[in-house]
């Protein structure tokens, strides 16, 4: 488990260290948080009617960490009191395992929730990470939209979903 | 000049390699490198409209002019689940 | 740490068991969740300009557990796929410790986030739990609004904040 | 008939007890019990407008008629932080 706030790792993810990273005293954020919102994305056993056997995640790791740092900068610009941590797993994942873990700490809960939701939306939009689904009867790369961190419409969509 | 090309996910599978080095013209852009790559590996051609690029580990527009030794990564669309 | 989904406890809170409780396979919810949103409320060292030394929480414990179960029923009525767990701590809490921990699991993230936010809003509104703040220079019971689970306006306010 | 009265948080502190038993009339409501309590402990009087009640571990309106042996809890306002 990485001790960085932003990481891509083949280790199993755990929220506890992320919560520690966003609630440590004495860092740049104004005091300790009163609220921590977190998100875990888990491998589901069914997708689009298929029975999933496992997933394999592949990343452009250095670019992914930079994308996470970019998202962090977007979050701080919008919610200056929020401190964020985000780990994404790569490699082979079994059903029920976590692919992504996010923690957002803030003095008050409104900002923590909004920043956490915004972050997962942006990760889906711009993190260079791909999911290879192995299901009963075949396998497929899950591809959605072109990754473009400068797409302002996508960013506004993420902001809208964060209920900010 | 020479650039390193890195391919990910389905692009990597279609080209059957994750990294290659190619000689390109002195004024080559990212788009030029992709065009040459799609000619060399026609299976990549359908990604011309949806591919993203990164140069030296930063996202880059396709119009960017490359320098000798640049690392150019081509990225298929990300999963970007809408829910 | 209680193994129930809804509990009032003087033990330190931890998210991991709650996450387990909302992502276990084979229960009533339709399959394993793909998303778990959580919330932790932490004791802040400052409140209203005062330096807080510690908090003491007191609860009507059986009524509190019933209030949690009522919130769970409200959540299931609104978001049938969500599975919820909620533990609240009582007794003496030091700065940085968690007073409340919530986990909401769901097939998709929108419902998990909304249910988690709704739950903390409702806890604040109707859980019979009181906070006694010991600060530098004195102490005070923190009292807000009258607890009334049938106050529909309050419920709509919680729903509005959950961005449903 | 007799009812058990339980007090919490600041109400408990103001009355200096967390539980008491009182004889009440046969048609007594929760509000009646509170009224008698506030006369016995005048420090509780200011809570008349904001107190909530629970009977036998369920929230109850103040108008509820009580039965012999009921457990009546009086609850001061909850913290209900608005943010």
């Amino acid at each position: 488990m990485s001790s960085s706030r932003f990481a891509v790792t083949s280790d199993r993810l755990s929220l506890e260290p992320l919560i520690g990273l966003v609630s440590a005293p004495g860092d740049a954020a104004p005091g300790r948080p009163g609220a921590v919102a977190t998100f875990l994305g888990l491998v589901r056993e069914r997708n689009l009617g298929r029975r999933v056997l496992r997933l394999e995640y592949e990343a452009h790791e250095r670019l992914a960490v930079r994308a996470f740092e970019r998202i962090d900068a977007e979050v701080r610009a919008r919610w200056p009191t929020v401190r964020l941590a985000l780990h994404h797993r790569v490699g082979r994942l079994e059903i029920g395992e976590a692919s992504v873990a996010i923690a957002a700490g803030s003095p008050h809960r409104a900002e923590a929730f909004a920043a956490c939701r915004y972050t997962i939306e942006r990760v889906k939009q711009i993190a260079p990470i791909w999911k290879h689904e192995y299901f009963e009867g075949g396998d497929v790369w899950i591809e959605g939209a072109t990754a473009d961190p400068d797409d302002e419409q996508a960013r506004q969509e993420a902001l809208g979903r964060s209920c900010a | 000049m020479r650039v390193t090309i890195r391919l990910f996910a389905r692009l990597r599978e279609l080209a059957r390699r994750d990294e290659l080095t190619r000689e390109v013209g002195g004024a080559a852009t990212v788009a030029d490198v992709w065009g040459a790559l799609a000619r060399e590996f026609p299976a990549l051609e359908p990604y011309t409209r949806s591919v993203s690029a990164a140069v030296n580990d930063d996202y880059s527009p396709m119009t960017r002019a490359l320098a000798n030794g640049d690392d150019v990564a081509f990225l298929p669309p990300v999963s970007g689940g809408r829910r």
Side-chain angles (χ1 to χ4, degrees), chain A, chain B:
Chain A
M1 175 56 63
S2 171
S3 62
S4 307
R5 287 198 292 132
F6 304 103
V8 172
T9 173
S10 54
D11 296 341
R12 286 182 73 120
L13 299 182
S14 169
L15 273 179
E16 300 293 341
L18 276 76
I19 292 169
L21 287 165
V22 303
S23 53
D27 55 38
R32 287 164 174 277
V36 177
T38 80
F39 178 78
L40 274 181
L42 305 179
V43 178
R44 299 178 63 201
E45 60 199 340
R46 299 201 68 81
N47 186 32
L48 304 173
R50 303 185 287 252
R51 202 167 87 80
V52 177
L53 304 175
R54 67 174 194 278
L55 296 182
E56 285 183 19
Y57 280 90
E58 175 175 338
H60 183 326
E61 298 199 7
R62 291 190 304 273
L63 181 62
V65 171
R66 289 206 179 181
F68 297 168
E69 290 165 348
R70 180 189 176 113
I71 294 169
D72 181 48
E74 291 174 358
V75 162
R76 273 183 290 115
R78 176 85 190 194
W79 300 282
T81 62
V82 169
R83 187 163 169 84
L84 192 70
L86 159 52
H87 289 183
H88 204 297
R89 192 160 163 205
V90 289
R92 175 175 171 149
L93 274 76
E94 310 298 331
I95 306 298
E97 292 190 330
S99 56
V100 58
I102 299 169
S106 183
H108 299 286
R109 63 184 179 277
E111 295 83 350
F113 273 106
C116 188
R117 179 76 199 268
Y118 178 81
T119 298
I120 182 60
E121 298 299 325
R122 290 297 276 160
V123 166
K124 298 267 180 183
Q125 289 176 350
I126 70 168
I129 301 176
W130 301 272
K131 182 158 75 172
H132 196 165
E133 181 186 296
Y134 293 82
F135 57 90
E136 220 167 45
D139 69 277
V140 63
W141 284 95
I142 308 294
E143 294 178 352
T146 301
D148 177 3
D150 295 316
D151 179 344
E152 186 57 23
Q153 193 187 324
R155 215 178 76 78
Q156 289 302 325
E157 218 173 284
L159 214 46
R161 289 192 190 153
S162 75
C163 193
Chain B
M1 62 186 192
R2 292 179 78 77
V3 295
T4 299
I5 299 168
R6 297 205 291 147
L7 300 174
F8 288 87
R10 190 149 154 71
L11 302 184
R12 172 180 56 71
E13 287 192 348
L14 289 168
R16 294 169 197 272
R17 65 206 70 200
D18 60 359
E19 193 173 320
L20 54 164
T21 308
R22 288 294 179 271
E23 196 73 34
V24 298
T29 64
V30 175
D32 294 332
V33 174
W34 172 260
L37 195 70
R39 282 189 297 279
E40 186 176 346
F41 302 98
L44 298 182
E45 170 57 34
Y47 280 88
T48 298
R49 295 178 60 119
S50 60
V51 72
S52 296
V55 176
N56 304 331
D57 303 335
D58 263 326
Y59 274 108
S60 167
M62 299 297 278
T63 51
R64 172 169 169 163
L66 294 168
N68 189 42
D70 274 352
D71 173 295
V72 184
F74 289 112
L75 318 168
V78 295
S79 60
R82 293 265 146 172
R83 289 189 75 193

